[in-house]
Amino acid sequence: MLSISEFSNAANPAGSRFIGSARYTVCNISPREGVVVVWVEISWASPINIFFGLLVS
């Protein structure tokens, strides 16, 4: 499972997460040995800070 949110504090991204106005679409998640490749489309016109939370079971 993958969760996506924005964050406001680079020193503490996990503790400063919030749901902003940008739209996120998770298109694909592909686990491989030692890595996970994620394809996400973000609909927003300027740079934003994104936090990915990944649950591995």
Side-chain angles (χ1 to χ4, degrees), residues 18-51:
F18 64 95
I19 298 174
S21 297
R23 295 176 62 191
Y24 316 115
T25 303
V26 177
C27 299
N28 202 352
I29 302 171
S30 177
R32 300 189 183 156
E33 188 173 332
V35 298
V36 176
V37 178
V38 178
W39 173 12
V40 175
E41 293 185 359
I42 302 169
S43 297
W44 196 249
S46 58
I48 55 176
N49 296 319
I50 299 295
F51 186 92

